[in-house]
Amino acid sequence: MVDTSNFPEQYGQRETMEYDVVIVGGGPAGLSAAIRLKQLAAAKGTDVSVCVLEKGSEIGAHILSGAVMDPIAMNELFPDWKELGAPLNTPVTEDRFLFLTERKAYRTPTWALPGCFQNHGNYVISLGNVVRWLGQQAEALGVEIFPGFPAAEVLYDNDGSVRGVATANMGVDRHGNPTDAFQPGIELHAKYTFFAEGARGHLGKQLIARFKLDKDRDPQTYALGIKELWEIDPAKHQPGLVIHSAGWPLDAETYGGSFLYHLENNQVAVGYVIGLGYENPHLSPYEEFQRYKTHPEIRKFFEGGRRISYGARALAAGGLQSLPKFVFPGGALIGCDAGFLNAARIKGSHAAMKTGMLAAEAAFDALAGGRAGDELAALPQAFRHSWLYDELHKGRNFKPSMSLGLRTGTLMVAIDQIVFRGKAPWTLRHRHADHERLRPASDFAPIAYPKPDNVLSFDRLSSVFISNTNHGEDQPVHLKLRSDTLPVQVNLARYDGPEQRYCPAGVYEFVRSDVDTPRLQINAQNCLHCKTCDIKDPLQNIVWVTPEGGGPNYPNM
C-alpha cells in the first residue's frame, strides 16, 4: 500500500472534512446511531453533523444475515415504522426445531423449546432491505452517507484520543504504486467516531489492541454463517415458517446448526452456522452446508426451486463474557464490531440497533455539554441498565455450553434456559480463541465430501458468481501474510492447509507442480469479506485489511 508517513510531501495534503460524529459502517448499528443523533437534535432544535462511511458500493450491498428480527429496537427508533413502510413484512407463523440424523429428523415439541428459540412477535426479513430503508430514513434526516468509501486508517490526536478516520487511497496498483487514476484518501475528523464495521472489524481490531479493550475479558469466539436465497415452489412455501436444526451433518462434538426461513414472494433463506472453534482441520463449513441441503427433511423444500444468491459472514458469538470495553477516548465500538450478537437467539440486528441508539444518546449529551474527544462513560452505564444487557446476561451460558458438544450442550442449555430461565448462579467461560483450537490433521481421518449435483448442492466458484463479488484485478491484495513461508511450512505440513477448506469463497488454494514446492495462491478477487481467515488461521498469519473497493453486492440478503 502507499506509504502515508510523508503523505503531504509525496501526494499533497489530504482533504479534510469536519463532523460532530463520524460513523464507520452503514449497517443497522451505524445507521441507527446516525438516525438517533438527528432525532435528538431535531427535538432540541439544534444541529449535529453526522457522516456515515460505507465500504459497500451502496447501503446494504455487504449486509448478510439470516434473518429473523425482533422489532424491539425498531419500535423504539421508529414507533410508526409500519406506517413508514419498513420492510418487516412477514411475521413468524411457526417455529420448528429439528435434531437431524443422516436419514431422519426428530422434532422438538413446542413446549420443550427454550424461550430463546421461540419467535412469536418477530419477523422474517431481508436485513439488506431493512438497512436500505434505514439509509433512506437517515438521509431524509440530513445524515451524509458515503457508500464506496472504506475507512482504512484510524486517526489519533496528540493526546492519543481518536480524531477520526481516513478513507482508503484509490487508484493504487497491485504493487502499491500510484497509477494515473490515483486519488489520496480523505481525512474525516470528528468529535466522536463510532465504529460499526460488523464482526471482526478491521479498525475495531486495531482499537481493541491499542486501548487494551479486551483486558480481563474472555477471548472472543466466532461462527461462520453461510447463506443462500432460494425461490421455491409456491405449493411448498409457508410464509413465516422458521426452522432450525442441530445434528447431522456435523459430528456431535462440533458446534453448529442450520436455519431455514420462509420470507414473502415464495423466497426461502437457508443457511448453516458453524462455530470457528472446531478442531478438525479437514472440516469444510461450505461442504457441510451443501451436504445439509440433501437431507430428506430439508431437500423437499428446494426440489423444483432455484437458487438466487449466496454469501457468507462471520458472527461474533462470545456474548457478554467476551464483550470488550467498548468506549475509548474519542469514540466507541457498536454493534457486532464489539460483539453484541445474542448467540442463544441467533439474532444480532436488534442488538446492533440498540447499541447504536445508546451511543448516539451518550454522544449527543456530550456534545450538548461542549465536550469532544473524551470517553463516553455514560454509554456503558446506559447499556448496563438496558433491556439488551438483561437479554445478553440471560443467554450468556449458551455458547460455552454448546462448545461442550451437542449432547452435553443440549442438556446444559435446557438446565440453564428452562430450569433457571437464564438466571443460573454460574457463568461459563471461554478459555481459548478459535485459532488456538485446531489440532494436527494426523489426529483425524479426511472427510470425503460428495461432489455437487448442481441441483441442490454447488461448488464454491458458482456460488461466488451469484454473490456478485468483484474486486479490481490490479488493486493491492487485501489479504496480507505476515510471513510468506508459514502457510506451507506449518499450515500445510501440520494442518493440511485448512485455509483451502474454511474459506467459503475459494480464496486460498495450494498450488503444486512436479518441480516446485507447494505454494499458497490467494485469489483475492473471490473474497466475500467474511473475515473467517483473519479469525481461524492457526498462527494468525493472515490479516484482512480494507480493499480499495469491491466485494459482494448482495441484492436482498
Side-chain angles (χ1 to χ4, degrees):
M1 299 295 287
V2 174
D3 179 13
T4 60
S5 59
N6 57 344
F7 206 100
E9 292 80 2
Q10 285 184 280
Y11 309 112
Q13 190 69 40
R14 285 195 288 205
E15 180 183 350
T16 299
M17 302 174 71
E18 300 281 347
Y19 292 92
D20 290 318
V21 178
V22 166
I23 300 170
V24 179
L31 290 172
S32 295
I35 289 167
R36 187 67 183 132
L37 280 163
K38 286 294 189 178
Q39 289 176 337
L40 292 167
K44 293 292 185 180
T46 61
D47 184 46
V48 175
S49 57
V50 183
C51 166
V52 174
L53 290 176
E54 167 54 42
K55 67 181 175 68
S57 60
E58 63 178 6
I59 290 292
H62 289 181
I63 294 294
L64 181 145
S65 182
V68 172
M69 187 178 197
D70 184 334
I72 182 171
M74 184 68 81
N75 291 336
E76 294 179 355
L77 189 61
F78 290 110
D80 57 345
W81 59 264
K82 290 185 180 180
E83 291 76 15
L84 291 172
L88 282 69
N89 302 321
T90 309
V92 174
T93 56
E94 181 185 351
D95 275 305
R96 297 180 193 170
F97 194 97
L98 308 176
F99 283 93
L100 303 182
T101 65
E102 188 170 356
R103 302 301 302 171
K104 295 185 177 182
Y106 298 91
R107 183 172 175 179
T108 303
T110 302
W111 60 264
L113 278 179
C116 58
F117 291 125
Q118 298 181 21
N119 286 288
H120 177 75
N122 299 330
Y123 292 81
V124 182
I125 64 163
S126 157
L127 186 59
N129 288 341
V130 171
V131 162
R132 288 183 179 91
W133 182 84
L134 287 173
Q136 294 169 2
Q137 309 312 305
E139 287 186 317
L141 290 168
V143 176
E144 295 185 37
I145 300 177
F146 300 126
F149 284 89
E153 177 186 354
V154 181
L155 303 175
Y156 298 94
D157 224 326
N158 293 333
D159 62 1
S161 63
V162 171
R163 189 185 184 191
V165 295
T167 63
N169 303 306
M170 312 296 278
V172 180
D173 70 20
R174 195 172 185 87
H175 304 289
N177 301 311
T179 68
D180 292 340
F182 177 76
Q183 293 182 347
I186 299 172
E187 293 191 5
L188 295 103
H189 296 174
K191 296 171 183 175
Y192 296 100
T193 307
F194 297 159
F195 294 83
E197 306 163 284
R200 193 71 164 200
H202 168 54
L203 300 182
K205 187 172 75 166
Q206 296 176 27
L207 290 162
I208 290 171
R210 181 184 180 96
F211 291 106
K212 298 180 172 58
L213 302 179
D214 56 355
K215 182 181 178 182
D216 300 324
R217 266 62 168 187
D218 287 4
Q220 184 61 268
T221 65
Y222 297 87
L224 171 61
I226 306 175
K227 176 183 175 181
E228 294 175 351
L229 187 67
W230 284 67
E231 183 179 334
I232 66 169
D233 182 344
K236 301 176 181 179
H237 188 247
Q238 183 180 328
L241 174 61
V242 168
I243 301 176
H244 294 105
S245 80
W248 189 88
L250 294 178
D251 61 56
E253 304 308 313
T254 304
Y255 167 72
S258 77
F259 61 87
L260 195 157
Y261 303 152
H262 287 233
L263 299 93
E264 66 264 35
N265 301 322
N266 300 317
Q267 291 186 350
V268 170
V270 58
Y272 216 80
V273 177
I274 294 182
L276 290 177
Y278 64 82
E279 297 180 338
N280 185 352
H282 297 298
L283 185 144
S284 166
Y286 178 87
E287 304 292 351
E288 297 292 346
F289 171 43
Q290 298 304 312
R291 193 157 58 150
Y292 153 78
K293 289 182 294 175
T294 66
H295 189 279
E297 184 67 20
I298 305 303
R299 67 182 301 142
K300 63 184 183 183
F301 289 107
F302 300 106
E303 289 172 333
R306 69 182 184 95
R307 195 172 66 145
I308 299 171
S309 190
Y310 166 83
R313 188 68 174 91
L315 301 77
L320 206 58
Q321 302 92 309
S322 301
L323 197 66
K325 180 183 178 183
F326 48 90
V327 292
F328 44 83
L333 301 173
I334 58 176
C336 289
D337 219 345
F340 284 101
L341 178 135
N342 185 341
R345 299 185 68 196
I346 325 175
K347 291 179 178 60
S349 55
H350 71 299
M353 291 179 67
K354 181 62 173 178
T355 61
M357 295 158 64
L358 291 173
E361 290 160 3
F364 183 81
D365 289 345
L367 292 168
R371 291 160 46 200
D374 61 343
E375 191 170 292
L376 295 171
L379 175 52
Q381 294 175 13
F383 166 66
R384 182 65 179 79
H385 293 95
S386 71
W387 54 259
L388 179 57
Y389 178 89
D390 294 339
E391 179 182 316
L392 294 180
H393 187 266
K394 184 176 181 179
R396 70 195 184 282
N397 287 326
F398 176 83
K399 182 62 163 56
S401 295
M402 294 308 299
S403 297
L404 300 174
L406 181 60
R407 298 182 184 89
T408 302
T410 300
L411 176 61
M412 293 288 289
V413 168
I415 294 171
D416 184 76
Q417 294 293 309
I418 297 176
V419 177
F420 287 98
R421 299 186 180 276
K423 298 180 180 179
W426 61 76
T427 296
L428 302 179
R429 317 305 308 189
H430 301 291
R431 302 297 182 187
H432 301 282
D434 293 331
H435 71 272
E436 300 172 336
R437 298 293 304 277
L438 273 185
R439 289 164 49 190
S442 58
D443 290 354
F444 303 89
I447 302 174
Y449 290 110
K451 292 183 178 180
D453 60 18
N454 296 317
V455 177
L456 292 174
S457 58
F458 306 88
D459 62 35
R460 280 179 174 81
L461 293 184
S462 64
S463 297
V464 172
F465 178 77
I466 60 171
S467 71
N468 302 308
T469 295
N470 181 58
H471 296 86
E473 291 185 4
D474 196 38
Q475 70 172 264
V477 174
H478 65 280
L479 301 157
K480 305 294 185 182
L481 299 179
R482 300 184 193 273
S483 165
D484 292 332
T485 60
L486 288 178
V488 172
Q489 292 181 354
V490 178
N491 284 12
L492 186 60
R494 185 181 302 169
Y495 303 108
D496 194 34
E499 52 268 70
Q500 60 191 330
R501 285 179 291 276
Y502 61 57
C503 174
V507 170
Y508 301 97
E509 59 178 319
F510 284 91
V511 178
R512 296 172 170 86
S513 70
D514 294 334
V515 295
D516 297 325
T517 58
R519 62 179 179 86
L520 178 65
Q521 178 168 300
I522 299 179
N523 306 307
Q525 66 274 17
N526 291 358
C527 180
L528 296 169
H529 299 192
C530 74
K531 309 292 185 66
T532 302
C533 55
D534 195 280
I535 296 165
K536 189 60 176 173
D537 183 71
L539 297 178
Q540 294 294 273
N541 187 48
I542 300 173
V543 180
W544 192 98
V545 302
T546 307
E548 179 180 297
N553 198 339
Y554 299 132
N556 55 345
M557 294 284 271

